[in-house]
Amino acid sequence: MGVSNIVFVLLLLVLINLSNNNIKRIDAFHQIYEELQSESVKSVNHLHRPGFHFQPPKNWINDPNGPVYYKGLYHLFYQCNTKGAVWGNIIWAHSVSKDLVNWEALEPAIHPSKWFDIGGTWSGSITIVPGKGPIILYTGVNKNQTQMQNYAIPEDPSDPYLRKWIKPDDNPIAMPDYTMNGSAFRDPTTAWFSKDGHWRTVVGSRRKHRGIAYIYRSRDFKHWVKAKHPIHSKQSTGMWECPDFFPVSITDFENGLDLDYTGANTKHVLKVSLDITRYEYYTLGKYDLKEDRYIPDGNTPDGWDGLRFDYGNFYASKTFFDYKKNRRVLWGWANESDTVQDDIMKGWAGIQLIPRTVLLDSNKKQLVFWPVEEIESLRGHYIRMNNHNIKMGQRIEVKGITPAQADVEVTFYVGSLEKAETFDPSFMLKPFELCKIKGSNVTGGVGPFGLITLATPDLEEYTPVFFRVFKDTSTHKPKVLMCSDARPSSLKQDQGPLAKDRMYKPSFAGFVDVDMADGRISLRSLIDHSVVESFGALGKTVITSRVYPVKAVQENAHLYVFNNGTQSVTIESLNAWNMQRPLQMN
């Protein structure tokens, strides 16, 4: 082993230790602060508040619940604390929209009020049942903290706004039996109807360290029976929260599928949110209806290192089928990465990310995601840049737009990959570990190149989103790393030694499955004050970062394109827009 390899391995050992600390920090995202749950918000600080992402005027929000399209309106239900800016006092808040952009807040749909949910009305879903209308399935918590599944029905199904909801007294519809963990049994999925005359839903759970997805069946949507075995489970993954289970077409790469689609040319997706790590993973596979089992293809890891909808700050996601446009749409929640005290001072915490379409990639090995087209209605002033060469060490400012609230699409042409660094798979580095070692300022061959967002002119603060291309010695193909690195994003100092007193500034990363045969790769970033959503290679890899600059805020933020690789890179095309605020946001 050469000296450079020894140094590399030593760095890896350091990173493994850091990554363990990161997992602890991520786990702290959802800590409970009972003394703060009902501390009312006195005022709202708008400095880092997003301009075009969904959030209520104040207070805490988390999981999106049961988004649905019904009678001409999109409905978004979501977890909310109406009494404070930290998690607690959770209800189902409710907003409606005609376009997924402008939202009108309605009164909450459900809140703790009966013995089967007096301890909490937690996440769930909504299903449109023929002859009955929309029905909410949700997790209720009783006074003993036992989790159980309940349902709620609209008082008037003919009301497009679904303003009033009723929780019937014959709840709960599913309780944990003696073989199950009553404190880890939650988040029922949208139900689907099968040819055998049964409705089915999946509920997340765990047994010791094994993540479990139970499947329940019903003929009337009231009486539910647990199948003899889980639809799927996996050891050493911990609690499976917010499962999602849906089909995708392997022949039609433009349209989504409803849950009850049973055609031959399909794969199924099982996504779970990992309570231990606070991130998600998914697999592609086959659903055996007769056996009620899901069998992953085995082409990607079924566990912590699996594929993700988003490799950054993204959790508790939920898809729905949009009958209006024949597409599957993904909602996801991004928590704050600043401190608990910051959230209290701001008066708000949590946002819903821009809804994304979900399709199977044409390679049939992964999903691809893209912001819904409706978000483009917010585009304002526009600038363009074409065929601009960037040599090593150069950065070019993107002027003429509002960098703190923008939509940027850029296609890079790198040409030859001869100068690409060698990637040795024996190092077994995870993407975020590699990004920590080879950040945006570390000179490479092909890359790093990309965008520098929310930056000061002297780069005291900046959040780079970039690619670095390697040669993979095992496949003789390019290995493309995509990073969104929040480490240099803010000059703000930690407020204390505890996790709750420290800002979380990770280097999020993922590999991008592209062959770059034509020498091109694209990047799109939605920048909104404290959130940067980035889509690599038309949505093959997506990364969301939450950042809180001190100086690079509002009109003082700058946006650059950069290259720190020895190989020159061409900005083949760059299109950037100011993003306007929706006319109505709650």
Side-chain angles (χ1 to χ4, degrees):
M1 180 180 289
V3 172
S4 62
N5 283 358
I6 293 172
V7 172
F8 203 67
V9 171
L10 288 173
L11 284 170
L12 173 58
L13 292 174
V14 172
L15 285 170
I16 289 172
N17 179 58
L18 288 172
S19 68
N20 288 336
N21 290 335
N22 279 342
I23 288 176
K24 292 176 183 176
R25 178 63 182 93
I26 295 172
D27 196 27
F29 270 8
H30 214 278
Q31 285 193 6
I32 297 172
Y33 304 96
E34 291 186 9
E35 72 281 7
L36 303 175
Q37 290 178 354
S38 299
E39 184 172 320
S40 62
V41 171
K42 303 295 190 299
S43 62
V44 173
N45 187 325
H46 290 269
L47 182 64
H48 294 116
R49 188 173 171 84
F52 59 92
H53 282 74
F54 178 94
Q55 61 183 159
K58 61 182 181 179
N59 297 321
W60 165 280
I61 67 168
N62 56 292
D63 311 5
N65 295 318
V68 71
Y69 182 73
Y70 183 69
K71 290 187 179 293
L73 292 173
Y74 293 101
H75 293 255
L76 177 62
F77 303 87
Y78 58 96
Q79 302 274 274
C80 180
N81 178 7
T82 59
K83 298 179 180 180
V86 302
W87 185 90
N89 308 306
I90 294 297
I91 65 163
W92 273 50
H94 182 197
S95 293
V96 294
S97 172
K98 293 181 179 179
D99 57 9
L100 292 173
V101 174
N102 298 282
W103 291 91
E104 176 185 353
L106 303 178
E107 63 183 270
I110 53 178
H111 61 273
S113 64
K114 297 195 174 184
W115 73 266
F116 47 79
D117 67 7
I118 196 63
T121 49
W122 290 2
S123 297
S125 62
I126 188 166
T127 304
I128 299 176
V129 180
K132 297 183 178 181
I135 298 180
I136 286 175
L137 297 178
Y138 73 99
T139 297
V141 184
N142 70 7
K143 65 179 181 179
N144 298 322
Q145 298 303 301
T146 299
Q147 298 169 18
M148 57 196 69
Q149 312 318 313
N150 304 308
Y151 77 104
I153 57 176
E155 184 177 86
D156 180 8
S158 67
D159 174 18
Y161 286 83
L162 300 172
R163 291 177 177 88
K164 301 284 187 179
W165 289 83
I166 300 168
K167 297 182 291 187
D169 289 332
D170 57 356
N171 275 304
I173 55 174
M175 293 190 68
D177 62 33
Y178 71 96
T179 68
M180 300 163 65
N181 185 338
S183 64
F185 175 57
R186 54 185 178 268
D187 309 335
T189 66
T190 302
W192 69 96
F193 190 73
S194 301
K195 291 181 179 179
D196 64 1
H198 286 91
W199 288 94
R200 285 170 166 81
T201 186
V202 172
V203 182
S205 187
R206 70 172 171 87
R207 184 183 298 126
K208 295 184 178 179
H209 301 294
R210 175 177 287 271
I212 297 174
Y214 291 113
I215 188 164
Y216 283 77
R217 295 188 290 255
S218 174
R219 288 190 178 275
D220 60 5
F221 223 87
K222 283 189 177 183
H223 303 90
W224 293 83
V225 177
K226 180 168 68 77
K228 292 181 179 178
H229 50 73
I231 190 170
H232 190 55
S233 68
K234 186 66 178 179
Q235 72 274 11
S236 303
T237 53
M239 174 66 198
W240 282 4
E241 294 191 304
C242 304
D244 204 0
F245 188 60
F246 57 89
V248 289
S249 174
I250 62 174
T251 56
D252 182 352
F253 303 114
E254 297 182 357
N255 297 293
L257 297 177
D258 201 357
L259 292 182
D260 58 4
Y261 184 83
T262 57
N265 296 318
T266 61
K267 287 179 181 281
H268 267 75
V269 178
L270 176 62
K271 183 277 304 183
V272 294
S273 303
L274 300 179
D275 190 34
I276 294 176
T277 62
R278 311 306 292 179
Y279 60 70
E280 308 184 320
Y281 82 93
Y282 74 91
T283 54
L284 293 165
K286 283 294 183 183
Y287 171 44
D288 185 332
L289 174 61
K290 184 177 179 181
E291 298 294 330
D292 261 340
R293 284 192 184 276
Y294 167 75
I295 304 97
D297 286 346
N299 298 325
T300 59
D302 184 6
W304 289 15
D305 294 328
L307 296 170
R308 302 191 201 174
F309 288 178
D310 188 307
Y311 289 81
N313 188 333
F314 183 90
Y315 196 71
S317 66
K318 179 70 179 174
T319 67
F320 76 101
F321 183 70
D322 179 2
Y323 298 93
K324 180 181 180 181
K325 294 196 172 182
N326 201 38
R327 61 186 175 178
R328 181 157 292 278
V329 176
L330 169 71
W331 281 91
W333 165 60
N335 198 358
E336 302 304 307
S337 295
D338 53 4
T339 69
V340 174
Q341 193 57 42
D342 286 330
D343 293 344
I344 293 170
M345 295 296 292
K346 290 186 322 214
W348 54 272
I351 62 171
Q352 305 299 343
L353 295 171
I354 299 302
R356 306 165 183 175
T357 57
V358 183
L359 291 167
L360 185 67
D361 186 61
S362 58
N363 66 17
K364 303 179 184 179
K365 297 187 294 185
Q366 67 165 93
L367 300 176
V368 290
F369 309 90
W370 199 247
V372 293
E373 60 186 355
E374 288 89 341
I375 198 67
E376 296 171 14
S377 67
L378 296 179
R379 287 173 170 174
H381 184 68
Y382 162 71
I383 64 103
R384 182 176 178 85
M385 188 184 301
N386 289 320
N387 300 318
H388 202 126
N389 187 258
I390 317 178
K391 294 182 172 60
M392 183 180 72
Q394 285 189 319
R395 58 182 164 106
I396 299 170
E397 185 165 7
V398 180
K399 297 181 178 181
I401 60 166
T402 52
Q405 194 168 307
D407 183 1
V408 187
E409 294 185 357
V410 57
T411 298
F412 295 99
Y413 178 73
V414 300
S416 171
L417 303 180
E418 286 300 316
K419 292 184 179 180
E421 303 158 81
T422 298
F423 178 86
D424 189 339
S426 67
F427 294 135
M428 300 182 68
L429 278 173
K430 290 178 169 52
F432 75 90
E433 295 167 341
L434 188 57
C435 185
K436 284 180 178 177
I437 293 175
K438 294 182 175 291
S440 62
N441 289 327
V442 178
T443 300
V446 181
F449 60 88
L451 296 173
I452 297 176
T453 72
L454 298 172
T456 55
D458 57 5
L459 297 189
E460 275 192 291
E461 292 181 321
Y462 64 102
T463 300
V465 184
F466 60 94
F467 299 110
R468 184 187 289 264
V469 184
F470 297 87
K471 295 175 184 175
D472 191 332
T473 57
S474 64
T475 64
H476 303 290
K477 294 181 180 179
K479 185 96 171 174
V480 180
L481 177 71
M482 176 177 167
C483 301
S484 182
D485 192 351
R487 290 177 298 171
S489 64
S490 179
L491 293 171
K492 186 172 181 180
Q493 300 298 309
D494 291 339
Q495 299 173 5
L498 301 178
K500 71 180 181 66
D501 301 319
R502 300 197 306 271
M503 187 179 295
Y504 179 49
K505 298 188 291 185
S507 56
F508 288 128
F511 290 118
V512 190
D513 187 10
V514 287
D515 60 18
M516 295 193 68
D518 62 357
R520 292 174 173 83
I521 192 166
S522 67
L523 176 64
R524 180 181 183 184
S525 288
L526 294 168
I527 306 161
D528 198 3
H529 298 280
S530 63
V531 57
V532 182
E533 292 186 67
S534 299
F535 300 78
L538 299 177
K540 283 177 175 282
T541 300
V542 185
I543 307 176
T544 297
S545 289
R546 298 300 311 278
V547 295
Y548 309 89
V550 175
K551 295 183 177 181
V553 295
Q554 298 177 350
E555 67 275 4
N556 294 319
H558 294 259
L559 174 67
Y560 302 92
V561 189
F562 81 99
N563 174 34
N564 280 330
T566 57
Q567 170 81 18
S568 293
V569 173
T570 299
I571 303 171
E572 190 169 83
S573 67
L574 181 146
N575 300 283
W577 296 263
N578 290 345
M579 288 297 279
Q580 301 166 342
R581 291 179 179 272
L583 297 175
Q584 186 176 21
M585 182 62 76
N586 277 339

